[in-house]
Amino acid sequence: MVLMLALPFSAAAQDKDKESKSKDKNAKKELTGKPVMWREPADIASRNLLLGAGGEEMKPDISKITFIEDKPGGFSKKYRVRDAKGNEWVAKIGKEAQTDTAANRLLWALGYETEIAYLIPKLKIEGKGEFENVRLEARPADVKRAGNWMWENNPFLNAPEFRGLKVLMVTLNNWDMKDDNNEILARRGDTTGEGELRYIISDLGATFGKTGGFFSRSRNEAGDYAKSQFIKAVKGDVIDFSYSGKNQKLFTNLTVADARWVSNLFKRLSDEQIKDAFRAANYSAEDVDMLTNALKARIAALDNPAGAVAKDNK
């Protein structure tokens, strides 16, 4: 009788143990390593914004682009592809390809960790067709995407570079401020716990338009960007930015000091470097000038927010 009772108990215990092991196996491992978001760009004046973080050596070989799979989700059509060198990329097609590339270049220029990306004006993807203005974003074999980081909970909350990043996002009119657009990149196979965890914004497509609600906001509209209001008021040391996109609370309590931190970085770039960020995204000469002038006006406003407000109110 005792044996008969023990058998079901033993089976139940084994099932519970299997379930526990399964949960442990599937549980997300805690990330270890040094979090990095920004590095002092000592070479900022010589950075090549046409090529960006990947430089010449990482440029894709587009003589043959092979389709691997669809990448669902998001505003833009995306494919995972392989170039003639065997390197893998995510191809973004549509209106966000240009803005994603230009914003990527500017973040990298100021010292922020970014993806490696290139804008291809005309690209043939075998089995899918020919497309204009395709952004190819690298997926190196030795880099793993370790999950999203959150705007309101990360290791940099009180750091100048994080507050500066928020200023930079409102400067570029990035209205899609959600955690899903943020990624942590880690070195694949690193088990030492001493490597780096690179905190990046992976999707910057919703920039260079105007912020607003679902029907009023825009992306990749140079005219909208140039005409949109930037700073509404300065109250003491706090700037009231004219931002009406997602997650508006992120932009409260940003200060004049935060704005000048970003402005001082921007001022180390030449006009040609800024133009190159837009040229890299294959904008027309007219749009390059319009976007560059609009961005330079915002850089000046960051340097003197109160003066910018006074000028706008005249």
Side-chain angles (χ1 to χ4, degrees):
M1 182 71 171
V2 173
L3 181 60
M4 292 176 66
L5 288 172
L7 286 174
F9 175 80
S10 177
Q14 288 176 2
D15 288 344
K16 187 174 182 180
D17 185 54
K18 286 180 181 178
E19 182 181 351
S20 176
K21 287 180 179 178
S22 177
K23 285 182 179 178
D24 289 344
K25 186 177 180 180
N26 293 328
K28 192 172 183 180
K29 293 182 180 179
E30 185 176 349
L31 295 174
T32 57
K34 179 184 177 182
V36 178
M37 174 176 280
W38 176 84
R39 304 174 202 267
E40 169 63 43
D43 61 344
I44 190 169
S46 62
R47 290 200 167 189
N48 187 329
L49 273 68
L50 283 172
L51 293 171
E56 185 69 35
E57 60 274 18
M58 278 295 294
K59 285 180 68 174
D61 184 342
I62 63 171
S63 59
K64 182 178 181 180
I65 299 293
T66 306
F67 169 79
I68 299 175
E69 63 179 359
D70 287 300
K71 294 288 290 181
F75 174 82
S76 301
K77 183 67 178 176
K78 294 187 286 292
Y79 300 125
R80 193 178 186 97
V81 300
R82 183 178 293 109
D83 71 7
K85 295 179 185 175
N87 296 325
E88 293 190 8
W89 305 81
V90 171
K92 175 181 276 192
I93 299 162
K95 199 166 187 177
E96 288 188 335
Q98 288 181 292
T99 49
D100 218 335
T101 304
N104 169 286
R105 292 291 188 274
L106 292 167
L107 263 69
W108 171 76
L110 300 191
Y112 286 96
E113 293 293 310
T114 66
E115 303 275 18
I116 291 172
Y118 301 87
L119 194 289
I120 311 300
K122 291 185 179 180
L123 186 71
K124 179 180 179 180
I125 301 175
E126 292 192 346
K128 290 296 175 181
E130 296 186 17
F131 306 91
E132 294 186 355
N133 288 336
V134 180
R135 185 229 58 196
L136 291 181
E137 190 175 83
R139 288 296 183 270
D142 61 345
V143 175
K144 68 177 179 181
R145 306 175 85 77
N148 302 115
W149 61 269
M150 295 178 286
W151 283 105
E152 296 186 79
N153 183 17
N154 62 71
F156 308 98
L157 290 178
N158 296 314
E161 62 263 35
F162 180 65
R163 295 179 67 84
L165 182 61
K166 292 196 284 185
V167 171
L168 187 50
M169 289 301 96
V170 74
T171 301
L172 304 183
N173 273 7
N174 185 4
W175 51 258
D176 198 16
M177 296 289 292
K178 59 186 182 183
D179 297 339
D180 287 351
N181 290 338
N182 304 332
E183 291 279 354
I184 301 172
L185 305 184
R187 183 67 59 185
R188 194 177 297 281
D190 180 19
T191 58
T192 65
E194 297 177 358
E196 290 184 342
L197 302 175
R198 298 171 52 223
Y199 283 62
I200 68 166
I201 302 177
S202 182
D203 190 336
L204 291 157
T207 50
F208 297 113
K210 61 180 178 181
T211 67
F214 185 81
F215 295 105
S216 60
R217 64 197 183 208
S218 67
R219 51 168 70 76
N220 198 5
E221 293 289 346
D224 285 353
Y225 181 69
K227 290 184 290 186
S228 59
Q229 185 183 29
F230 182 37
I231 297 174
K232 290 193 290 188
V234 179
K235 302 170 183 176
D237 193 40
V238 176
I239 301 174
D240 183 8
F241 285 103
S242 182
Y243 175 83
S244 52
K246 297 178 183 178
N247 229 343
Q248 295 179 29
K249 59 186 175 182
L250 291 177
F251 302 107
T252 59
N253 298 317
L254 291 173
T255 67
V256 171
D258 297 326
R260 285 181 179 154
W261 189 89
V262 175
S263 176
N264 286 336
L265 287 172
F266 264 124
K267 286 190 291 184
R268 291 160 61 187
L269 291 173
S270 69
D271 288 358
E272 284 303 304
Q273 283 176 296
I274 294 174
K275 287 183 177 182
D276 280 347
F278 298 112
R279 290 172 179 141
N282 198 35
Y283 280 103
S284 68
E286 181 182 359
D287 279 351
V288 166
D289 287 341
M290 185 183 299
L291 289 164
T292 299
N293 290 335
L295 180 57
K296 285 178 61 182
R298 292 191 171 209
I299 295 168
L302 291 175
D303 190 51
N304 182 15
V309 173
K311 183 178 178 181
D312 286 344
N313 289 336
K314 282 185 178 180

